[in-house]
Amino acid sequence: MGVKSKIVIGNWKMNGSAELVESFTRTMLDNQAAYAGIRVVLCPPFTLLQAMADALEGGPILLGAQNVSEFEQGAHTGEISAPMLASMGTKMVIIGHSERRASRGENDRIIAAKVKQALSVGMVPVLCVGETAEEKARGDSGAVVWQQLSVVLHAIGSELFGQLIVAYEPIWAIGSGSTASTDDILTITTAIHAKLAQLGIQLPLLYGGSVNAGNAAQISSLPTISGLLVGGASLQAGQFLLLCSNTAKGA
């Protein structure tokens, strides 16, 4: 599906410390054989990006960010621009996470602008899409997800869209401990790939939503899935290492 190796992205959200960066990266870098062949990306909070960049320098793990401004520069207090992130060696950035859509009012237009900013400096946007429990109950999952993708697709065009990573994260599964069934995941991700294929687009499609070491192998083995976007399970080095190892087994 347009990717040669599985991808595991750890999203620390608003958690972490300098001490965690040091211990976490030491565990991961000392056990590289456990996730050989897997592209691992760590996305700490902005305040820990430089410490993480220093700790990962020269190693196989990539640095990612959790968000980026829709603006390049200017009077935008509290925002972090794409050039700022790129200057620290950030390779990927999560955009459109449901938590930001819900609590920060980010709509598809804003998300499309952020994708443009990330691409302008050579970062890979990880575009998050997903439906609520109510939308799922109405049978609208596919339509909702495709609408979220379509706005970005129309804003940047199919050629640039092919440079993205898409993460399907059903909102009702995030942090709930309830992972979508393999049938649910296959239904949505197969539809996404089919619609994109009609436009000549192939890209990596990840799954996120209560992913852990116990279900990583099963989910990552699905033919439509190129990897995982991991939240809470990415905060404990031992569990995250096991998750990455199990993903490698499911590849």
Side-chain angles (χ1 to χ4, degrees), residues 154-207:
H154 292 152
I156 66 175
S158 58
E159 184 175 352
L160 285 177
F161 196 87
Q163 299 178 26
L164 274 58
I165 294 173
V166 170
Y168 170 56
E169 286 199 304
I171 296 171
W172 49 270
I174 298 173
S176 68
S178 176
T179 309
S181 70
T182 53
D183 285 344
D184 285 337
I185 298 170
L186 273 173
T187 297
I188 298 297
T189 54
T190 297
I192 293 172
H193 279 304
K195 284 180 174 291
L196 292 177
Q198 293 174 359
L199 302 172
I201 301 172
Q202 285 189 318
L203 47 68
L205 184 51
L206 314 184
Y207 173 79

Side-chain angles (χ1 to χ4, degrees), residues 49-117:
L49 279 173
Q50 190 59 62
M52 184 72 81
D54 293 342
L56 297 178
E57 186 175 8
I61 299 175
L62 300 179
L63 179 67
Q66 299 176 22
N67 185 36
V68 65
S69 174
E70 64 189 286
F71 304 105
E72 181 180 359
Q73 61 182 13
H76 305 288
T77 302
E79 294 294 314
I80 303 292
S81 73
M84 291 173 180
L85 293 177
S87 71
M88 288 189 285
T90 306
K91 303 301 182 185
M92 294 186 187
V93 56
I94 299 169
I95 297 175
H97 193 284
S98 64
E99 290 165 357
R100 295 201 61 83
R101 291 178 188 260
S103 66
R104 296 294 180 264
E106 291 189 5
N107 57 33
D108 292 325
R109 180 197 61 78
I110 292 172
I111 289 163
K114 292 185 174 197
V115 168
K116 286 183 179 180
Q117 285 296 318

